[in-house]
Amino acid sequence: MFPDKFEYYAPKSIEEATKFLSGHEDAKVLAGGQSLIPMLKLRFTSIPELVDIGKISGLDNISINGNTLEIGAMARTSDIAENQTVRKIFPLLSEAAGLIADPLVRNMGTIGGDICHGDPANDFPAVMLALDADFIASSAKGKRTIKAEDFFIDTFTNALESGEILTGIKIENRNSSGRYLKYKKYAGDFSILGLAVDLSMDGKMVKRAGIGLTNCGATPLKARDAEKFLEGKELTNKNIESAANLLLKVTDFMDDDNGSTKFKEKLLKYLFTKAVKGIGGVQE
Ligand code: FAD
């Protein structure tokens, strides 16, 4: 099918893009098009104006600024998966990137789009929640910072205001280590469920825990209770089991073709235990 008619704009700067968006509130940002274009073609949505931010230079940088990793919203998923700095400092981010879709989609899709699209089955959002990332939103009125945990409002709904573009992501380097585990049926599939765990250790003790959940509810979920429980404790089997049970306080599974709620709860606890023991070097 063909999308409904729309006007296409390809601004050369963020200022130009945000000025246009401020005067056209039904316009949508086009990034890699890997979610938006299929929705337009299937006529799930119709948009009067598309603002392609792909021609704006400098929006795809990946760099370290002091103790912070800075990623431009237009950074392609494949660039994040292959970036050596990301791989070294945030292994769970590069692990998640490599598990998204397939090479074609990864070469076109962007981290900004994956985050903004708001599909609870998208993989980057849970990683952002586990890493307590900050998002930089730019508009004709200037810039503001939105915490990842305040960004995901509802399914396909984020905290960006009309006229705002997500331009960057900032993640503090806490000398942590993490895993992203994804359960899916076939290669290239979306997550049936996924889990991002990031731990900063002080000897055998957990100093900081970050846990994000994919496809465990209407939005990406941050498992705050489990995070708080683990902090200040050793990774004993008992503590890991208690933290795994706390994950279920935030999940909101439904029975569907991918499995019953009971199955998904058991699977999530298994993946969590596997991830935590892997990071903490605890014998399985
Ligand atoms: P677009 O499609 O261009 O835009 C998506 C939405 O975000 C639009 O509403 C757009 O307006 C908005 N948007 C984009 N960038 C910005 C910005 N900077 N500021 C404000 N709003 C913005 N994703 C996964 O995470 N895991 C998977 O396993 C997975 N499998 C897939 C398999 C297939 C076959 C396909 C086609 C997609 C799959 N996806 C998967 C989805 C895809 O990776 C992302 O959702 C997609 O990359 C979104 O990024 P994009 O740059 O293509 O965004």
Side-chain angles (χ1 to χ4, degrees):
M1 263 162 85
F2 293 104
D4 270 339
K5 209 168 106 28
F6 58 82
E7 297 299 318
Y8 171 84
Y9 294 90
K12 295 278 181 301
S13 71
I14 276 294
E15 293 68 26
E16 202 187 323
T18 51
K19 187 159 171 263
F20 182 87
L21 286 169
S22 65
H24 299 79
E25 60 176 32
D26 294 332
K28 280 281 256 182
V29 168
L30 174 67
Q34 298 307 295
S35 291
L36 187 54
I37 299 294
M39 288 181 78
L40 286 169
K41 288 176 79 170
L42 294 167
R43 300 232 172 158
F44 287 159
T45 182
S46 124
I47 299 161
E49 295 100 5
L50 271 194
V51 180
D52 183 348
I53 60 173
K55 307 247 177 343
I56 299 174
S57 65
L59 263 191
D60 59 355
N61 292 337
I62 302 174
S63 58
I64 286 283
N65 183 357
N67 199 31
T68 303
L69 176 70
E70 296 186 354
I71 307 175
M74 280 301 290
R76 306 287 168 172
T77 303
S78 50
D79 292 338
I80 293 168
E82 288 143 29
N83 184 284
Q84 293 311 311
T85 308
V86 174
R87 206 169 267 184
K88 191 160 147 268
I89 306 182
F90 295 110
L92 84 153
L93 178 53
S94 75
E95 185 171 30
L99 290 169
I100 288 178
D102 54 52
L104 272 179
V105 172
R106 290 198 291 269
N107 285 339
M108 286 295 291
T110 67
I111 189 167
D114 197 89
I115 289 168
C116 293
H117 182 50
D119 184 334
N122 275 8
D123 294 297
F124 274 136
V127 176
M128 297 295 114
L129 290 171
L131 293 173
D132 285 322
D134 283 330
F135 299 152
I136 310 302
S138 303
S139 73
K141 291 181 275 182
K143 286 186 186 219
R144 70 182 176 117
T145 301
I146 307 170
K147 287 202 156 315
E149 63 179 318
D150 300 328
F151 189 78
F152 305 103
I153 309 288
D154 200 346
T155 307
F156 300 119
T157 313
N158 63 48
L160 289 178
E161 289 166 3
S162 163
E164 280 190 322
I165 300 177
L166 174 71
T167 45
I169 294 121
K170 291 191 176 181
I171 309 172
E172 186 193 337
N173 179 5
R174 298 182 184 88
N175 295 317
S176 58
S177 191
R179 289 296 314 268
Y180 186 77
L181 298 182
K182 170 173 182 173
Y183 180 76
K184 58 186 192 291
K185 261 193 195 136
Y186 307 106
D189 267 3
F190 283 86
S191 296
I192 290 176
L193 65 87
L195 164 90
V197 181
D198 186 59
L199 298 178
S200 305
M201 301 299 290
D202 181 2
K204 285 193 169 183
M205 208 227 341
V206 176
K207 204 165 73 176
R208 177 197 167 274
I211 305 168
L213 307 180
T214 299
N215 222 6
C216 296
T219 68
L221 297 167
K222 187 165 173 60
R224 288 183 189 78
D225 294 326
E227 293 173 346
K228 291 288 152 273
F229 174 83
L230 278 180
E231 287 169 4
K233 291 195 180 67
E234 291 197 13
L235 291 176
T236 61
N237 287 330
K238 191 165 167 299
N239 287 339
I240 296 171
E241 168 71 17
S242 308
N245 288 325
L246 286 171
L247 295 178
L248 305 185
K249 283 185 79 171
V250 288
T251 55
D252 180 16
F253 288 122
M254 285 190 292
D255 295 359
D256 60 23
D257 298 349
N258 288 321
S260 68
T261 297
K262 217 141 193 55
F263 163 73
K264 290 176 184 175
E265 287 178 346
K266 257 182 115 170
L267 175 65
L268 180 65
K269 287 172 59 176
Y270 165 74
L271 289 179
F272 173 76
T273 304
K274 186 175 156 86
V276 170
K277 288 190 172 178
I279 301 166
V282 179
Q283 215 41 44
E284 287 264 358

